[in-house]
Amino acid sequence: SSRRQKWRQPVVSALDLGGVKIAKDDVVRDDPTNNVPDTIYAKLGLQLHRRDQHPLGILKNAIFDYFDTIYANKFDKFDNLCPIVSVKANFDDVLVPPDHVSRSYNDTYYVDSQTVLRCHTSAHQAELLRKGHTHFLVTGDVYRRDSIDSTHYPVFHQMEGVRVFSPDEWETSGLDGTLYAASDLKKCLEGLARHLFGAVEMRWIDTYFPFTDPSFELEIYFQEKWLEVLGCGVTEQEILRRSGKTDNVAWAFGLGLERLAMVLFDIPDIRLFWSSDERFTSQFVKGQLGVKFKPFSKFPPCYKDMSFWINDSFTENNLCEIVRGVAGDLAEEVQLIDNFTNKKGMTSHCYRIAYRSMERSLTDEEINELQWNVRDQVEKKLNVVLR
Ligand code: FA5
Ligand code: MG
């Protein structure tokens, strides 16, 4: 059918870029194990991080410069690995437990039950370690079902870094391997932040990842808030053991490139990275880190509220998927503003949707039309009762 043609096309071109072959009929739109909407398929293969004039490409190259300088070109770089990966690579190989939420259809885009759009560049760690790489950077587009606001987008870009140490590297220091790697990792990333930003306010937060221990997040102060820009830690020994590196210790990190680029170039909203408006694209120059983005239009957002009785299967990510499906990049934020349970045990949610274009003013009619479509689809697809 024509419906099938429409979505399949971008998948095929993405496969040309990435090298992984998926037989044509492996992916069927009506397959209940596939939850990838057309709008997401359409982003496959765009590879914003490989455009030297795009803020993400400029940032990537600046990070490469830092690593080449302090590690004398020792890091191998990959920025063209296929974003369609196995469940094994995305989750099992980095020790994500079978019941971890990130595996759910609510959080991850599944192409079929064994294949996902990678939700992080960590999906490539194990394979590259098995191939014998000990210092590497992997940059790529990653995909997540997620909330809607100025710092979250369902497609974004990460850079993974991994460094493996051999025993002689830490033994001479008198520290144990884990402490040595953790302190080297923090020094490396603080140095990177200084290289990119000069003086900037930052802080380390202890956290949890299945693939590292200890694990940390780095936050940077931006637009009057702490913004999480990366996760990192000392690689779980089991991951190294499985790639035959029993005597080694390693660190790994995953940077959110949009978040760093927002701070670096003063970009206020993550949707702008996808803009082809010349008033955006023409502001950035290959190799130039010093550019500050000048907003070219400031239209006020328009807010619409919507209340409904939820059911057991309701999730905010499903709601956001509908809003994005209807409004695309005109949806700026979806926020829960009221939540109560009545005496009968029914729970009501009120969501506020902010509509705004980065490029032009929207008419009342246009916004009302979007909101009516959202209401209609929310009622039909989420089986909730509008109030
Ligand atoms: C990870 O993805 C880990 N794989 C990072 C890692 C790698 C940890 C190696 C340890 C070792 P997390 O889910 O926190 O972690 O995402 C990493 C970064 O991606 C975040 O800090 C944030 O900067 C960015 N990020 C996450 N979700 C989004 C989103 N929806 N939109 C834009 N950026 C996002
Ligand atoms: Mg995180």
Side-chain angles (χ1 to χ4, degrees), residues 326-328 330-331 355 362 365-375:
V326 171
L330 300 180
Y355 295 98
L362 302 174
E365 295 77 54
E366 195 174 2
I367 292 164
N368 287 336
E369 167 99 12
L370 292 172
Q371 181 69 2
W372 279 111
N373 275 327
V374 168
R375 289 176 66 90

Side-chain angles (χ1 to χ4, degrees), residues 302-320:
C302 176
Y303 300 100
K304 295 283 173 189
D305 293 352
M306 178 172 54
S307 298
F308 46 82
W309 300 107
I310 63 162
N311 53 35
D312 289 345
S313 64
F314 175 82
T315 71
E316 197 168 303
N317 281 354
N318 287 341
L319 171 67
C320 288

Side-chain angles (χ1 to χ4, degrees), residues 67 71-78 124-138 160-170 181 184-185 188 233 235 239-240 243-253:
F67 276 89
Y71 296 108
N73 299 311
K74 231 178 153 188
F75 276 74
D76 301 319
K77 305 183 190 79
F78 303 87
H124 301 288
Q125 268 193 24
E127 189 191 350
L128 291 171
L129 285 169
R130 280 196 299 270
K131 286 184 172 157
H133 296 281
T134 56
H135 297 67
F136 56 89
L137 301 170
V138 179
E160 192 86 0
V162 174
R163 176 181 185 184
V164 181
F165 297 90
S166 51
D168 53 296
E169 291 180 83
W170 71 83
D184 185 80
L185 170 65
C188 168
T235 303
I239 295 176
L240 293 176
S243 66
K245 295 180 171 63
T246 40
D247 299 326
N248 304 80
V249 167
W251 55 236
F253 63 74

Side-chain angles (χ1 to χ4, degrees), residues 52-54 57-59 61-62 65 284-291:
D52 288 339
Q53 320 230 22
H54 189 278
I58 299 169
L59 171 62
N61 290 330
D65 287 345
F284 303 96
V285 183
K286 180 180 173 183
Q288 284 195 19
L289 284 188
V291 171

